[in-house]
Amino acid sequence: MEQRTIDDGELRQWIDEWGEESHDDILASDDEADIANRILEHHTHGEYPDDVDWNDAWESLRSIIEPALEHVHGFFPDGAETLARYVREIDMGIDPDTGEDLERAAIEEPAFRTSFRIRAMADADPEDEPALDKVIQAADADYRHDVISGGDVARADWRNAAAYEWRRLMLEPHAPTDPVSDVSALAVIAVSMRYAPDATRAMIATDVLGPDLPTMGGLRDIIGTPERDVPVDTLITDLVGQWPDATPDRDTLTDRDHAAWRILSPIQQNAPAPVEGHIYGLLGMLDHVEYLGRTGETGRMHAERALRFDPSDRFASAVLDTAPTADGSTGLAELADIAQDRGTIR
C-alpha cells in the first residue's frame, strides 16, 4: 500500500493543537523525540492507519521541534502551549528569547564580542560588586553564543573552567561565614549547573563527600561525563563505600559542606529557577551523607523541594530512594502532594 506523507503545514497544525489542548508539562529530560511522540499520540489517540508514513511524520516533527526546544530549560509546567508558540515564532524568523528578527540579528551581529566579565563591569560601581544575577545572565548568554559557534569544544571548555573555579574557591582560605566575592567564578559554575546539572553535581558531590580530594584532572573527567552516563543512582553508595568501614568522618564532611555552601548559596539565590532546583537536589545528597545513620529528614526535605522544580531530578530521586523517613520507609510514598504542587515555588 502506498503511504501518504504528512506535509509540514499539517504537522505544524498538529503541534498547535497539542499546544492548545494537551497542557503537557515539558520535563528537563525531554528531547525532540519525546515531544514528537506526545504530539503524535495526541493527534492519533494511539491509532496509526497503515496508509500514512508515520515514521516520516515523526522524523519531520523532530526536526521542527528541535530548534524550539533549545529555548526551553529545565522543568516547564504546562509548557506545551509555550513550546508550540516557540515553533511558530521560529518559523516566522523570530527569536523566542528576544522577539527580534533572527535574520536581522545575524546580519547585525558585531564583529567582536566582549566577555561576560567585561560586560558585567562596564556599568558596575567599584564600591559595589556587579550584581551576581546580572553576571550569571551575561555568562549564560556567552555560553549559548560559544556553543553555537564552537559546539562540543566550547561545552568542554566551559565545563573544565567550572571545575577549575570550583576547586579554586573550595581551596580559598576563608572564615566559615566569609562570602565568596568572585562573581565571575560563581557565574561560570552556575552556567555549568544549568546546562550540565548531573555532571556538575556529581563533580561537587565527589569533591565534598569522598574521603580523598580528587585531582584537578579527576574533577574535569567527572564534569565532562555526558549527562546520560553520570552514575547518579549509585553515587551515594560508591562515595560512602570509599570511607573506612563505609563510615564517613562527620567533622571532615561538615567542614567541606560549609565550604561548598558558601559557593552554592549565592548561586542558588541569584541563578534561574532550574539551577535553584538542581542545587536543592545536590543539597539533599550532601546532607544525607553528612548525617548518615540518622533519619534522612534533612536530605529528604531538600530532595522533595528539588522535585517541585523538576520531577525527573535524578539526584533528588537517588536521595529519596536511600534516605529513610522517621518510620524507616524510603522512596516516593509520601510525595503524592508534589504532583499537585509542582512548579509553584517560583
Side-chain angles (χ1 to χ4, degrees), residues 198-199 202 222 225-233 235 314-315:
D198 286 352
I222 297 170
T225 305
E227 286 290 280
R228 64 182 178 277
D229 296 334
V230 178
V232 177
D233 294 343
L235 190 57
R314 296 171 65 202
F315 272 70

Side-chain angles (χ1 to χ4, degrees), residues 27-29 74-75 277-278 305-314 316 343:
L27 305 180
S29 58
F75 174 54
H278 297 328
R305 196 167 178 86
L307 290 179
R308 290 190 169 96
F309 286 86
D310 179 3
S312 63
D313 189 300
R314 296 171 65 202

Side-chain angles (χ1 to χ4, degrees), residues 2-327:
E2 185 176 352
Q3 291 184 314
R4 179 171 69 93
T5 300
I6 309 297
D7 63 41
D8 276 9
E10 188 172 352
L11 292 175
R12 291 178 184 278
Q13 184 177 347
W14 293 2
I15 294 171
D16 285 338
E17 292 170 354
W18 169 76
E20 293 172 4
E21 300 168 3
S22 72
H23 301 288
D24 278 355
D25 297 335
I26 308 298
L27 305 180
S29 58
D30 283 337
D31 59 19
E32 63 273 10
D34 298 316
I35 304 299
N37 284 334
R38 289 192 217 160
I39 293 169
L40 287 176
E41 284 293 306
H42 179 80
H43 180 77
T44 65
H45 304 289
E47 297 181 2
Y48 296 90
D50 293 337
D51 63 338
V52 173
D53 188 342
W54 294 108
N55 187 62
D56 179 79
W58 181 72
E59 292 287 356
S60 297
L61 281 171
R62 288 183 60 188
S63 65
I64 294 171
I65 293 162
E66 183 177 13
L69 195 59
E70 291 177 358
H71 296 270
V72 177
H73 307 292
F75 174 54
F76 201 152
D78 197 10
E81 183 176 7
T82 299
L83 182 59
R85 174 168 59 82
Y86 287 175
V87 169
R88 292 194 300 273
E89 290 176 346
I90 289 175
D91 186 46
M92 293 186 291
I94 297 172
D95 186 332
D97 290 333
T98 65
E100 296 178 354
D101 185 293
L102 288 169
E103 291 187 5
R104 186 173 65 186
I107 293 171
E108 295 176 353
E109 180 73 19
F112 69 93
R113 181 183 179 89
T114 55
S115 75
F116 75 89
R117 291 177 171 87
I118 299 300
R119 299 202 305 279
M121 291 186 290
D123 60 357
D125 188 322
E127 295 183 358
D128 188 18
E129 287 285 346
L132 178 55
D133 60 337
K134 301 298 184 185
V135 181
I136 291 174
Q137 291 175 19
D140 191 283
D142 273 14
Y143 172 86
R144 288 185 280 115
H145 177 274
D146 291 349
V147 167
I148 290 172
S149 304
D152 289 341
V153 173
R155 286 189 182 92
D157 285 346
W158 275 84
R159 292 195 194 188
N160 288 337
Y164 167 81
E165 296 290 22
W166 175 264
R167 171 53 58 85
R168 183 175 67 82
L169 294 179
M170 284 291 286
L171 296 178
E172 185 178 68
H174 63 275
T177 58
D178 282 350
V180 172
S181 59
D182 190 339
V183 292
S184 295
L186 294 174
V188 171
I189 296 168
V191 168
S192 186
M193 184 77 76
R194 179 169 190 175
Y195 293 103
D198 286 352
T200 303
R201 291 185 293 179
M203 177 202 72
I204 294 172
T206 303
D207 194 45
V208 174
L209 300 178
D212 302 310
L213 292 180
T215 64
M216 193 66 246
L219 291 183
R220 286 185 169 132
D221 285 344
I222 297 170
I223 203 171
T225 305
E227 286 290 280
R228 64 182 178 277
D229 296 334
V230 178
V232 177
D233 294 343
T234 60
L235 190 57
I236 294 175
T237 303
D238 291 345
L239 291 173
V240 171
Q242 294 174 21
W243 289 87
D245 301 322
T247 305
D249 181 75
R250 176 81 186 283
D251 291 338
T252 299
L253 291 190
T254 299
D255 289 343
R256 292 184 193 166
D257 183 82
H258 289 169
W261 181 237
R262 63 187 288 269
I263 301 169
L264 295 172
S265 176
I267 294 175
Q268 187 177 43
Q269 294 172 28
N270 290 276
V275 176
E276 183 180 357
H278 297 328
I279 290 177
Y280 276 121
L282 173 61
L283 291 178
M285 185 172 290
L286 299 185
D287 281 354
H288 168 58
V289 176
E290 183 179 347
Y291 294 96
L292 203 64
R294 309 182 183 188
T295 59
E297 291 303 320
T298 304
R300 290 182 65 87
M301 178 184 69
H302 290 315
E304 291 169 9
R305 196 167 178 86
L307 290 179
R308 290 190 169 96
F309 286 86
D310 179 3
S312 63
D313 189 300
R314 296 171 65 202
F315 272 70
S317 296
V319 171
L320 293 173
D321 287 341
T322 309
T325 62
D327 64 4

